[in-house]
Amino acid sequence: MLDLEAAVPSDRKDEARANLAPVIARLGGDGTRVAVRVNRGNDGGKRDIAAAVGAGAGFIVLPKATPAATARAAALAGHAVPLVPLIEDPRGVIEALAIAEAAPSVAAMGFGVEDYATEMGAPPTPDLLIPPAFLVIQAARAAGREPLAFPDTIADHRDLQRFEAAAGRARALGATGSFAIHPGQVAVLNRTFAPTSAELETARRIVKAAERARRDGQAVASLDGRMIDAPVEARARAVLAQAKRHDRR
């Protein structure tokens, strides 16, 4: 993800926009889809989105998203580039479902933990962040978007043990991924959100048991003393699909 927002000084925004096209061309040469985080505001956001679309961005990341801002960004992008709205304040959490459904081009929902904690006047700890992270994940799931949420600070990129523990909590809450701010965090996220070999084997056995039951004219199967019905099979198939996505990466 290339950042036009917080990582770029206000007097160098034009320079950053001008650099998007060559950098995206270089980074995306192997088929990688490059995201661009834009600025808020009518002028900055409009110029950023135009530059990102023109440079061939694969995603546009929208900070401090609202339903109206998300719909406007989608229109500015011609509804052609997938959007990832970031929920970064209490109102955004409350309006998360409306944001997720603001435009068909919304592909995923992110959760900006540091900004959210600042708005709440509290440190970015799991006690503060797990409830809103779950609400963002739930809204994304309800709208059929990818939930990218993380229930702890991501600023301390040296404490990878804490980072990995929080990634595990995010996955347990239903998230399928998260943002990182340092290259050292990427391997942790890939490892944590990818299904384990044991999970894959269990998922394969569940699917086989369900298929065998259907061939026998039964709607429910049993495996290792556990009932296998439609929701259990659906979760198993989701695990297999997630593994395929990680293999492609």
Side-chain angles (χ1 to χ4, degrees), residues 197 199-209 223 236 240 243:
S197 57
E199 289 170 334
L200 283 174
E201 178 60 24
T202 299
R204 294 189 187 103
R205 294 181 65 219
I206 288 172
V207 170
K208 287 181 181 179
L223 180 66
L240 298 177

Side-chain angles (χ1 to χ4, degrees), residues 148-242:
L148 308 176
F150 193 85
D152 202 350
T153 182
I154 63 172
D156 187 357
H157 56 80
R158 299 166 300 177
D159 191 349
L160 293 182
Q161 185 175 2
R162 176 177 176 176
F163 186 79
E164 185 162 4
R169 283 193 291 269
R171 188 183 180 201
L173 291 172
T176 56
S178 173
F179 286 96
I181 62 165
H182 188 274
Q185 297 170 328
V186 174
V188 174
L189 292 177
N190 286 338
R191 180 173 65 251
T192 303
F193 283 101
T196 65
S197 57
E199 289 170 334
L200 283 174
E201 178 60 24
T202 299
R204 294 189 187 103
R205 294 181 65 219
I206 288 172
V207 170
K208 287 181 181 179
E211 291 175 343
R212 185 167 54 249
R214 279 195 292 275
R215 288 196 299 269
D216 294 340
Q218 300 173 359
V220 176
S222 178
L223 180 66
D224 299 333
R226 179 186 180 192
M227 184 185 72
I228 306 298
D229 59 0
V232 175
E233 181 186 359
R235 286 198 298 272
R237 291 188 180 277
V239 168
L240 298 177
Q242 180 79 346

Side-chain angles (χ1 to χ4, degrees), residues 40 62-70 85-102 109-112 115-116 119-120 131-140:
R40 296 182 70 203
L62 189 66
K64 289 187 170 60
T66 65
T70 303
L86 290 179
I87 308 301
E88 298 187 285
D89 56 32
R91 180 172 290 277
V93 172
I94 294 169
E95 297 179 335
L97 181 58
I99 293 169
E101 295 179 335
M109 295 278 285
F111 181 41
D115 285 271
Y116 177 83
E119 293 284 341
M120 289 294 291
F134 176 70
L135 291 175
V136 172
I137 292 167
Q138 186 170 247

